[in-house]
Structure formats: C-alpha cells, structure tokens
C-alpha cells in the first residue's frame, strides 16, 4: 500500500511540474500576443507571426476566435491530466472548453 501511495504521489508531482512548465511557456506566448496586439492593433493569425514555431506536438496551441478574442491551450502531459485553456475574454486559465464571450472585450 505504501508503494502505491508513493507512486500516485510521484506521478501527480510529475504531471503538475510538466503542466506548470507548459503554463509558464504559454504565459510567455500570451505576452507576445498582447504585445503584437498593442503594436499592430490586431491579433496575429498564428503563432509564427509572433516568432513562435507552431508544431502539432505543442505544447502550446493558439486559436484566433475573432478580431478581439483568442484562446491558448496546453495539453496535459498524460491521459491522467486535463488540458488547460486560457481565454482572452476573461484573461484566465480554465479547465475545459467553452464558448468565448464575444461581448466581453477586456
């Protein structure tokens, strides 16, 4: 039983540390997007426009929803964890997908 508890704790800590690393990287991408928005008065169409190489492997993904809103998401490092999504309409990280509030223009 002790080995099982240790294994669960170890796996949980590993997933959290990987997710934290990915969120840190994603927050840097968000800063680049917001700087681009301030300079060009528009959102980039893709991450390549802000000097971030987009890959299918991620770990950071970007979607321009409309001219004012976007989402950034990171995939969980394993099937145990969940994806985290940053919504520009609330400027917060959330669990799970939802519709962007296009009336909220923070």
């Amino acid at each position: 039983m002790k080995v099982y508890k240790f294994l669960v704790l170890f796996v949980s800590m590993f997933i959290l540390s990987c997710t934290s690393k990915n969120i840190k990287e994603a927050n840097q991408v968000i800063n680049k997007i917001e700087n681009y928005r301030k300079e060009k008065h528009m959102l980039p169409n893709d991450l390549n426009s802000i000097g971030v190489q987009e890959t299918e492997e991620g770990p950071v993904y970007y979607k321009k929803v409309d001219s004012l809103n976007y989402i950034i998401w990171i995939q969980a490092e394993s099937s145990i964890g969940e994806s985290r999504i940053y919504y520009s309409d609330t400027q917060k990280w959330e669990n799970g997908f939802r519709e962007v509030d296009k009336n909220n223009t923070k």
Side-chain angles (χ1 to χ4, degrees), residues 9-27 57-60 73-84 93:
L9 179 63
F10 177 77
V11 169
S12 298
M13 289 174 52
F14 175 75
I15 290 169
L16 287 174
S17 70
C18 291
T19 301
S20 296
K21 177 182 163 226
N22 291 348
I23 286 181
K24 185 181 282 189
E25 185 175 336
N27 284 331
E57 295 82 29
V60 178
W73 71 95
I74 58 170
Q75 293 293 92
E77 292 294 315
S78 73
S79 60
I80 298 172
E82 294 183 16
S83 297
R84 297 290 314 241
W93 285 97

Side-chain angles (χ1 to χ4, degrees), residues 47-48 52-61:
L47 293 181
N48 293 321
V52 176
Q53 183 179 359
E54 285 185 282
T55 67
E56 288 183 18
E57 295 82 29
V60 178
Y61 303 91

Side-chain angles (χ1 to χ4, degrees), residues 23-99:
I23 286 181
K24 185 181 282 189
E25 185 175 336
N27 284 331
Q28 292 172 346
V29 170
I30 292 164
N31 287 334
K32 288 182 179 188
I33 292 169
E34 292 302 328
N35 287 336
Y36 184 97
R37 183 197 311 246
K38 286 177 189 174
E39 291 175 12
K40 307 221 182 227
H41 306 288
M42 60 187 274
L43 290 174
N45 290 323
D46 54 39
L47 293 181
N48 293 321
S49 300
I50 59 170
V52 176
Q53 183 179 359
E54 285 185 282
T55 67
E56 288 183 18
E57 295 82 29
V60 178
Y61 303 91
Y62 167 77
K63 180 180 179 191
K64 180 178 172 181
V65 176
D66 58 30
S67 63
L68 299 174
N69 297 291
Y70 64 92
I71 61 173
I72 295 284
W73 71 95
I74 58 170
Q75 293 293 92
E77 292 294 315
S78 73
S79 60
I80 298 172
E82 294 183 16
S83 297
R84 297 290 314 241
I85 301 102
Y86 174 87
Y87 292 92
S88 65
D89 62 342
T90 60
Q91 299 177 338
K92 293 182 181 176
W93 285 97
E94 300 179 27
N95 294 324
F97 284 100
R98 66 164 173 81
E99 291 294 317

